[in-house]
Amino acid sequence: MPETKNSEEPLVTAEAFEEASTHTTAAAPTAMHAHPRSRPAGRRPRPASQAPTPAQQQAASLARSASRRARIKRATSRLPRYDVRMAWYKSRWPVILFLLQFALVALAVADNLPVVDIFNTAITGAVQGLRGNLDPLIVALTTLGDVPYMAAICLVVGLILLIFRRWSSLVFFIVNVLLAVGFAHALKFIFAIPRPSAETLVALPSSYSFPSAHSLTSMVVLGLVGLLIFRALYRKGAQADHAAIPGILLVILALFIGVSRIYVGVHWPSDVLAGWLLAGAWLSFASALYVYEPKK
């Protein structure tokens, strides 16, 4: 009979199978540890062939600069724009007239001309001759021009403009008030005129006298409030003469605040007059600037 091949082939013993299984199990952790996913996360190095060229780097830099300029342009486009040239053209004669009169008063005060003493003595005697029963009312009126009360008025007006999102009017109002206050106190240090030494009904301020900051700032603040009211009413269809009534009343109130400074004895009449003249020039240009505001 022919021989079978199965009888001559070696059989796999149990010991060999167990040894092979042991080698496979021991090698498995090593293979798993060597798997790419087990490496710590991080940016893979860019091959040299994929590195940006100088032209690509320049294009990216130009794109970033263009994006930055676009953001700046969008931010500045929301700011109010005013036609300063048109405002000056419309208000130049009142502004020049008020400033010339202020210059004459300032020169006369600085040179201590006799006409200034005559003017101050006459007006002071006439106004302070009314002292008596009106004292509490005039003291309350002059206190209205103090910084805390003017600041409260500005805060109320600013909140109203903020609630109605009148950004342009809000910036216009705040900038004008701050500049007017700073300008008034700067002029005080330039001229350095002492205050009256007569009897006063309120505490004598420690600052200089010329020009009257109460007269200037109260006229500017109340005049700007009247201008805001006028524009709001006029845009709602009110006639110009009717819309101007609140502003006229506020200007009259500012005039009384200026006179009250003479009444209580803390300012010369020339100080008050100079403050009014500066406020007249200021409001003439500011009102024209506000009317010709949009420059789209």
Side-chain angles (χ1 to χ4, degrees):
M1 294 181 65
E3 297 180 359
T4 59
K5 296 181 179 180
N6 294 336
S7 60
E8 297 179 358
E9 293 178 355
L11 298 176
V12 179
T13 63
E15 291 80 359
F17 180 81
E18 183 177 357
E19 183 179 359
S21 301
T22 304
H23 284 295
T24 305
T25 306
T30 305
M32 184 179 299
H33 180 73
H35 198 276
R37 294 184 180 179
S38 64
R39 294 177 180 177
R43 181 176 296 179
R44 295 182 179 180
R46 184 191 296 268
S49 60
Q50 297 182 6
T53 63
Q56 292 175 341
Q57 293 178 353
Q58 184 179 5
S61 177
L62 292 176
R64 289 192 296 269
S65 299
S67 177
R68 192 181 303 111
R69 287 194 299 268
R71 290 195 300 268
I72 294 174
K73 185 176 181 180
R74 286 195 301 268
T76 55
S77 64
R78 301 176 183 177
L79 297 177
R81 299 173 180 268
Y82 298 101
D83 195 339
V84 177
R85 183 177 180 181
M86 179 61 71
W88 170 250
Y89 178 77
K90 294 293 183 180
S91 64
R92 65 188 187 280
W93 294 119
V95 171
I96 292 174
L97 181 62
F98 279 120
L99 290 179
L100 284 177
Q101 294 180 61
F102 169 78
L104 293 175
V105 174
L107 289 174
V109 170
D111 291 339
N112 198 17
L113 297 181
V115 66
V116 176
D117 293 333
I118 296 173
F119 174 77
N120 287 337
T121 302
I123 300 299
T124 301
V127 173
Q128 293 184 358
L130 301 175
R131 287 182 177 180
N133 297 330
L134 295 177
D135 290 359
L137 176 63
I138 302 302
V139 169
L141 185 61
T142 199
T143 305
L144 182 62
D146 291 345
V147 173
Y149 294 96
M150 285 288 111
I153 294 174
C154 294
L155 181 61
V156 171
V157 174
L159 288 176
I160 293 174
L161 295 175
L162 186 63
I163 291 172
F164 288 97
R165 298 180 181 273
R166 305 297 183 185
W167 309 117
S168 176
S169 299
L170 179 62
V171 173
F172 174 83
F173 180 74
I174 293 176
V175 170
N176 272 277
V177 170
L178 292 179
L179 288 178
V181 173
F183 186 63
H185 287 280
L187 288 178
K188 283 179 177 291
F189 282 101
I190 292 174
F191 288 97
I193 303 297
R195 291 181 180 267
S197 58
E199 181 182 357
T200 62
L201 300 181
V202 295
L204 190 67
S206 58
S207 59
Y208 291 113
S209 185
F210 185 90
S212 171
H214 272 66
S215 303
L216 174 58
T217 56
S218 63
M219 183 67 75
V220 169
V221 170
L222 297 179
L224 290 174
V225 174
L227 182 61
L228 295 174
I229 296 174
F230 170 82
R231 187 175 183 181
L233 294 177
Y234 188 72
R235 285 186 170 183
K236 290 184 177 296
Q239 296 181 0
D241 52 351
H242 294 164
I245 292 176
I248 294 173
L249 295 177
L250 289 172
V251 168
I252 293 174
L253 176 60
L255 291 174
F256 277 112
I257 291 176
V259 174
S260 70
R261 304 302 287 173
I262 305 172
Y263 186 98
V264 298
V266 296
H267 269 297
W268 301 108
S270 56
D271 305 335
V272 175
L273 178 60
W276 286 343
L277 293 174
L278 287 175
W282 198 291
L283 290 176
S284 297
F285 180 73
S287 59
L289 192 65
Y290 193 58
V291 169
Y292 297 98
E293 169 223 353
K295 193 176 182 181
K296 306 299 181 183

